[in-house]
Amino acid sequence: MKIKKLIIANWKTNPDAPGRAARLASEIEKRVRHSKNEVAIAPPAPYLLVVAKKLKKVKLAAQDVSWGDVGASTGEISWHQLKHLKVQYVIIGHSERRRLLGETDEMINKKVLASLKNGLKVVLCVGEPKSVRTKGMAAVKKFLSSQLGKDLKGIKSLVVSSDASVGVPTRASGSLIIAYEPIWAISSVKGSKPDKPEDSVEVIKFIKNVLASRLQITNVRVLYGGSVNAKNALSFLSQKEIDGALVGGASLHPREFIKIVASA
Ligand code: PGA
């Protein structure tokens, strides 16, 4: 069975007003209606409701979630609340949260476990800093192996259900997605540039091997993220190992985002 590519728009804290978010969402929905790929939008939390109302084919994603239940956690958003808003995917462990807010692997692991237990699909972001990439691929693999081990601790029993709706045939997979985002490739990082597709393919193959051999989790979709745009999208998305893209800056321009979706 062919696995559908997944393209996620990560709007971060953009746009600056709910009306704009609604218009952006409508435009994306209208233009990707006939796409064979899976598309999701992750708006800022205050716009989830406004954006949800505009979506039919496009799925709704959150940019973060609390590991706790409903209760005394000021400022957090629980999985209950996300599910009420029909959120299906949640991005966890984005490098901006790790770097700027001090989110640790332990916190990320709790979020991953709580989300999977409660029926949210997890998009776990992993990726190395520049200082590791400059040491070479062996160092990158060591770094990612450790990050995956910590972030996914204890998940084996939680990802056994199959998900026919996204064309994922066997155990695991539908509920867990990994986004490989080398930190130095993210467009908001000074001096960033996209990874070389052949290098991300090598890393993504490695991630799939780690999941299969160490955690016995197979058929997980692994996306690439970091300065994906309309010009370079095909070079990533035409690779069979790359199952989609997590797109930041370019996802705020509907025409450009649609071209990225079409490249898949
Ligand atoms: P970018 O962001 O596409 O603007 O590099 C990707 C991300 O941060 O998820």
Side-chain angles (χ1 to χ4, degrees):
M1 195 188 284
K2 197 167 178 288
I3 292 180
K4 285 187 191 178
K5 301 233 178 196
L6 171 62
I7 316 296
I8 305 178
N10 176 13
W11 288 356
K12 309 190 179 185
T13 48
N14 302 292
D16 58 2
R20 286 191 187 182
R23 282 196 295 280
L24 202 50
S26 294
E27 205 167 332
I28 292 175
E29 169 68 36
K30 194 170 74 199
R31 287 165 185 260
V32 305
R33 198 163 285 164
H34 302 296
S35 169
K36 291 198 179 82
N37 300 304
E38 214 186 343
V39 180
I41 297 176
Y47 302 158
L48 280 168
L49 192 55
V50 137
V51 168
K53 287 189 182 147
K54 302 293 176 190
L55 305 184
K56 272 203 186 102
K57 174 176 168 88
V58 176
K59 294 174 178 163
L60 191 60
Q63 296 178 17
D64 188 33
V65 64
S66 163
W67 62 77
D69 245 314
V70 173
S73 258
T74 304
E76 289 293 89
I77 303 174
S78 80
W79 58 265
H80 295 271
Q81 289 147 353
L82 295 182
K83 289 187 80 176
H84 278 301
L85 294 177
K86 306 268 181 284
V87 168
Q88 293 189 32
Y89 289 96
V90 60
I91 298 171
I92 297 179
H94 192 282
S95 59
E96 283 156 8
R97 299 193 58 82
R98 295 180 193 253
R99 275 189 314 122
L100 306 173
L101 302 167
E103 209 165 270
T104 63
D105 288 311
E106 289 69 28
M107 290 156 82
I108 288 161
N109 179 241
K110 286 193 211 174
K111 292 179 182 194
V112 168
L113 294 177
S115 300
L116 291 174
K117 262 184 209 154
N118 294 298
L120 286 170
K121 293 178 185 178
V122 166
V123 181
L124 172 69
C125 298
V126 295
E128 78 287 353
K130 183 100 193 160
S131 57
V132 172
R133 177 60 84 100
T134 48
K135 286 188 195 143
M137 281 306 203
V140 172
K141 290 175 185 172
K142 193 169 167 220
F143 180 92
L144 288 172
S145 170
S146 157
Q147 201 171 43
L148 286 165
K150 291 182 205 158
D151 294 350
L152 296 178
K153 199 168 150 207
I155 72 152
K156 240 194 252 180
S157 61
L158 298 173
V159 285
V160 287
S161 60
S162 65
D163 188 340
S165 71
V166 295
V168 178
T170 57
R171 75 189 290 259
S173 46
S175 50
L176 177 68
I177 290 119
I178 306 290
Y180 170 56
E181 295 207 309
I183 297 172
W184 49 270
I186 293 180
S187 67
S188 56
V189 173
K190 207 164 157 236
S192 62
K193 56 174 185 345
D195 197 7
K196 291 194 196 114
E198 62 272 25
D199 286 348
S200 23
V201 164
E202 181 179 342
V203 174
I204 285 174
K205 271 191 195 164
F206 172 77
I207 291 174
K208 290 182 180 181
N209 277 340
V210 168
L211 294 173
S213 63
R214 290 236 313 261
L215 299 164
Q216 287 82 50
I217 301 170
T218 51
N219 293 321
V220 172
R221 285 184 290 179
V222 183
L223 320 181
Y224 167 77
S227 298
V228 174
N229 58 36
K231 282 206 182 102
N232 64 26
L234 187 63
S235 66
F236 290 102
L237 293 169
S238 58
Q239 311 283 342
K240 70 174 184 338
E241 294 82 2
I242 301 183
D243 302 308
L246 182 55
V247 186
S251 70
L252 294 163
H253 307 283
R255 276 164 205 253
E256 175 145 21
F257 185 63
I258 299 329
K259 282 188 192 155
I260 295 172
V261 173
S263 315

